[in-house]
Structures are given as C-alpha cells and as structure tokens.
C-alpha cells in the first residue's frame, strides 16, 4: 500500500515538474531576451534607431540607447557620467576607441539580459555581471591600451569627484595601463567590477558576447543571449522539479 502510494506521488511529482518545465521555460527565456537594463540612460525597451552615431551604429536595427546617448558617449568627459578618460594625460585614440565601443555595448545592447543583476545604487537599479566577453575583444583592448596611462585598477569606485569629474585620488600615481593591468583579464574584468568575464570562446563561436561586430551579418549577440538564456532557464525548471520532488518526499516521511 505504502509502496503504491509512493509510486503515485512520484508520478505526480514528475508530472508536476514536467508541467512546470513547459509552463515556465518560455516565460523565463523571454524575460532574458531583447531587454534593456534599468539604468541611467537606457530606453525602457529596445527598438530601431536609424541614426545611431559612429561606433554605436552596429546596433541601429535594435538598440537600448537613443541617438543622443550614442552621440554623447563619443565625447571626452561626456555628460552621461562626467567620466574623464584622460585622467592621466591624453588617452591614445587607438585605446579610446575600445572604451567607446565598451560604452556602446553597455548602453545599446539588447542582448545582456542573461547577465543583468539588481543593484542598490543611487544612479541605477540594475547592472551587468560576468558578461562572457570574447577573448579577442579583450586581448585587442588590452594591447591597444598598454601604452596609455591611468592611476587605478577599478574605475567604478574610489575617484575624487570633488571637482565634478573624476580625478585621481592623491595617493594614486599615474602609470601605464600595463602597470595597473598586467594581463588582459586584469583589465576587462577589473575595470568595471566584473561586468565582464573574459571568455575562452572566440568571436563567431556563438558562445561569447562581441563588443565589435560587422552588422552586415546581423548582430551575433542575439544568438549568444538565446543560448545562455536557454541554459539558465533550463537550470531553473530543473530546480523547480527537484523542489517539488523534495516536498513530496517530505510529505511521505511526515504522513507515511
Ligand atoms: C580631491 O581633489 C581636490 C581638487 O579637485 C583636492 O583639493 C583634494 O585634496 C582631493 N582630495 C583627495 C582625497 O584626493
Ligand atoms: C581555452 O582554449 C584553449 C585553446 O582553444 C585551450 O588550450 C584551453 O585549455 C582552454 N581553457 C579553458 C579554461 O577552457
């Protein structure tokens, strides 16, 4: 009798978890795809922006940034964040273009949903964490910036903001990027408090986010976000199934 009961309940649990999988997965997946984070300058929803400026133009078919944001972020010490790239003298143009591209990705990409996290910050409600950046994007960023100068390893905190723009704190001396960021990983992961995680995958693999891409072949990050969203919501449903099974087993133990 008890054995039959167990079988019946297990069957119910499996049924419930299968039902849960079907009901939940598409819902979770769409929540992670084609979304804009809730931050300082993002639009509420992605959409076409025909006139996106210069380096942000690859996102014009579908973007989280407005035209004015895309224009402003190409300027030195832009009004967006009053952040000065030239805090230790002029940043080389070949280096600066990577920071502009990084900002275009951050402001414009509708594909960062799988890595959006809530934060308790005055200027934004959400951030990105551990976005798998393609290894070439990080490598070329680091190589092109080796000879420019900076005074800090984490650019998200610790600046002296008394003048209204970021200045090096008194005890932070200016040295080459190579001094503060000995490896590409130090740069790409350290710079913005782990917004990026350097991927071992290459551009075109479909498994890492590209900062640089040729829009003639569409946005390769659409597919990357889909792959990660699927993996993440799959794990979620599996977890739900196990939870239901556990609840049933606890019931059996209590009442059996
Ligand atoms: C911050 O910068 C101001 C000048 O803009 C300077 O007077 C002050 O000493 C600096 N403070 C620190 C802690 O670096
Ligand atoms: C990364 O890829 C390289 C070659 O593609 C391989 O030799 C290495 O073991 C990989 N590292 C990790 C951590 O997967």
């Amino acid at each position: 009798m008890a054995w039959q009961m167990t079988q019946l309940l297990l069957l119910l649990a499996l049924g419930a978890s299968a039902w849960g999988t079907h009901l939940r997965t598409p819902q979770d997946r769409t929540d992670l795809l084609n979304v804009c984070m809730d931050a300082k300058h993002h639009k509420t929803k992605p959409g076409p922006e025909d006139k996106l400026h210069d380096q942000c133009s690859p996102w014009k078919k579908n973007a989280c940034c407005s035209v004015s944001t895309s224009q402003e972020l190409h300027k030195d010490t832009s009004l967006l964040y009053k952040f000065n790239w030239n805090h230790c003298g002029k940043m080389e143009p070949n280096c600066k273009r990577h920071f502009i591209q990084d900002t275009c990705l951050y402001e414009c990409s509708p594909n960062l949903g799988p890595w959006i996290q809530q934060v308790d910050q005055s200027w934004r409600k959400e951030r990105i964490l551990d976005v798998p950046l393609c290894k070439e994007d990080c490598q070329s960023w680091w190589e092109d910036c080796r000879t420019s100068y900076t005074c800090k390893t984490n650019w998200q905190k610790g600046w002296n903001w008394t003048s209204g723009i970021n200045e090096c704190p008194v005890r932070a001396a200016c040295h080459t990027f190579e001094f503060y960021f000995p490896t590409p990983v130090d740069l790409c992961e350290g710079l913005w408090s782990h917004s990026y995680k350097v991927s071992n995958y290459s551009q075109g693999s479909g498994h890492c986010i590209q900062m640089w891409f040729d829009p003639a072949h569409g946005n390769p990050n659409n597919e990357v976000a889909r792959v990660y969203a699927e993996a993440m919501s799959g794990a979620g449903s599996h977890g739900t199934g196990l939870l239901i099974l556990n609840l049933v087993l606890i019931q059996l133990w209590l009442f059996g």
Side-chain angles (χ1 to χ4, degrees):
M1 178 64 192
W3 170 237
Q4 277 167 343
M5 192 69 168
T6 311
Q7 270 192 324
L8 181 67
L9 284 170
L10 271 176
L11 214 61
L12 278 175
L14 287 175
S17 88
W19 173 78
T21 305
H22 284 127
L23 190 79
R24 288 170 45 86
T25 307
Q27 178 64 34
D28 288 355
R29 217 180 285 161
T30 49
D31 284 350
L32 299 175
L33 295 178
N34 199 36
V35 291
C36 298
M37 77 185 97
D38 185 354
K40 198 169 180 200
H41 301 289
H42 291 70
K43 296 172 9 183
T44 53
K45 277 187 195 153
E49 295 288 345
D50 293 341
K51 303 253 159 39
L52 285 191
H53 189 63
D54 198 3
Q55 285 184 231
C56 297
S57 65
W59 283 275
K60 68 184 176 189
K61 285 223 176 85
N62 194 30
C64 287
C65 58
S66 65
V67 172
S68 66
T69 298
S70 75
Q71 288 166 339
E72 193 59 35
L73 69 82
H74 284 74
K75 299 177 186 166
D76 282 351
T77 318
S78 82
L79 294 175
L80 298 179
Y81 304 101
K82 299 273 185 65
F83 194 91
N84 182 16
W85 308 123
N86 306 313
H87 49 264
C88 282
K90 189 171 150 54
M91 181 186 272
E92 298 288 343
N94 203 31
C95 170
K96 194 180 293 170
R97 69 193 181 100
H98 292 274
F99 284 90
I100 292 170
Q101 200 67 16
D102 162 56
T103 314
C104 286
L105 178 73
Y106 175 79
E107 299 290 347
C108 304
S109 178
N111 306 123
L112 302 177
W115 303 279
I116 290 176
Q117 304 273 322
Q118 316 288 314
V119 278
D120 189 15
Q121 287 174 335
S122 59
W123 55 285
R124 61 177 181 183
K125 293 209 176 85
E126 292 180 335
R127 63 163 293 185
I128 43 172
L129 184 68
D130 292 338
V131 172
L133 184 65
C134 295
K135 61 178 171 189
E136 299 87 351
D137 293 76
C138 181
Q139 184 72 30
S140 61
W141 188 353
W142 182 78
E143 276 168 13
D144 290 342
C145 287
R146 287 168 89 142
T147 53
S148 284
Y149 286 79
T150 185
C151 58
K152 286 173 61 22
T153 55
N154 184 330
W155 287 18
Q156 210 144 44
K157 49 191 177 196
W159 295 99
N160 180 353
W161 285 98
T162 43
S163 73
I165 64 169
N166 58 305
E167 287 178 11
C168 295
V170 278
R171 260 184 286 278
C174 291
H175 291 287
T176 59
F177 266 59
E178 206 169 4
F179 175 90
Y180 279 108
F181 307 110
T183 68
V185 168
D186 294 325
L187 172 67
C188 303
E189 298 187 1
L191 192 67
W192 305 126
S193 311
H194 298 276
S195 290
Y196 294 120
K197 174 142 186 63
V198 180
S199 174
N200 201 32
Y201 285 103
S202 292
Q203 288 198 342
S205 67
H207 282 88
C208 59
I209 292 289
Q210 293 181 213
M211 207 161 91
W212 299 91
F213 61 89
D214 178 358
H217 311 126
N219 181 342
N221 299 328
N222 289 332
E223 179 57 22
V224 180
R226 194 159 30 240
V227 166
Y228 279 87
E230 206 158 312
M232 286 173 186
S233 57
S237 309
H238 189 60
T240 311
L242 283 180
L243 183 70
I244 294 173
L245 192 64
N246 265 334
L247 286 174
V248 169
L249 289 174
I250 288 167
Q251 273 192 332
L252 276 175
W253 177 76
L254 280 176
F255 301 110

